[in-house]
Amino acid sequence: MNDVYLEFENQHDGLQHIPIVKDSTRLGREPGLDVVFGATAANVSRRHAEIRRQDNVYILVDLGSFNGTFINGRRIANGEILHDGDVIQLGPGGPNLRFRAPANADSLRTAHFGSPGGRLAQPRHQTIFAGDDSAQEIDHVVDEVMDITGLSERCDVPIS
């Protein structure tokens, strides 16, 4: 049995479990998608977002939606790995879905896209440039586990 699913609660149907069983699960208002929201969900685009499965890692991708896609209140720009308990929001004030993958709770924390064969791989070095006019360079070398570097307090290496 597949234990990866989305939790969605609405006033009419209560708590729903939406199983993620395919390698690609699309969300939006367009009929025929895997997860369809009604026309009253004005912040949701016709083809809003997609959850992609690669080697038991689930990646949320915004499909160019007008209002954006958020994970735990943070707008995503590129594909981002989902973790058990993450809250996906389709547009500000749009519907919230909780990603549930109890068996994958300790999955990869970050990944490098564009590796050969489209497979996920962890880079050994990650360089991030931050700042306005003069870029501040941070080079963080990792051996086994990739640390997440950024402005959020949730990051392993916060930038202030």
Side-chain angles (χ1 to χ4, degrees), residues 11-150:
Q11 296 174 353
H12 303 291
D13 300 320
L15 184 65
Q16 300 175 37
H17 287 205
I18 304 165
I20 305 295
V21 295
K22 299 178 1 182
D23 288 337
S24 174
T25 301
R26 289 191 168 202
L27 301 89
R29 289 186 296 118
E30 183 174 289
L33 295 181
D34 303 297
V35 181
V36 179
F37 295 90
T40 58
N43 286 348
V44 179
S45 295
R46 288 179 45 221
R47 294 182 190 160
H48 197 103
E50 180 176 44
I51 297 172
R52 298 176 185 162
R53 179 178 59 197
Q54 294 180 338
D55 297 331
N56 286 330
V57 174
Y58 293 83
I59 302 160
L60 179 65
V61 178
D62 183 88
L63 298 176
S65 68
F66 182 78
N67 290 309
T69 302
F70 300 78
I71 296 179
N72 302 322
R74 182 180 47 80
R75 188 173 185 153
I76 65 171
N78 297 311
E80 296 221 9
I81 292 177
L82 288 166
H83 303 283
D84 182 47
D86 280 347
V87 175
I88 300 167
Q89 184 177 25
L90 304 178
N96 288 319
L97 303 104
R98 183 172 304 275
F99 178 75
R100 301 306 310 212
N104 293 345
D106 294 324
S107 65
L108 292 175
R109 300 208 45 193
T110 189
H112 176 70
F113 293 93
S115 57
R119 298 175 58 91
L120 295 173
Q122 286 190 332
R124 293 192 49 81
H125 300 277
Q126 180 178 8
T127 302
I128 298 174
F129 294 96
D132 296 330
D133 294 351
S134 60
Q136 173 187 5
E137 181 177 339
I138 300 171
D139 191 10
H140 190 72
V141 180
V142 294
D143 291 322
E144 293 185 21
V145 178
M146 175 60 74
D147 290 334
I148 299 173
T149 304

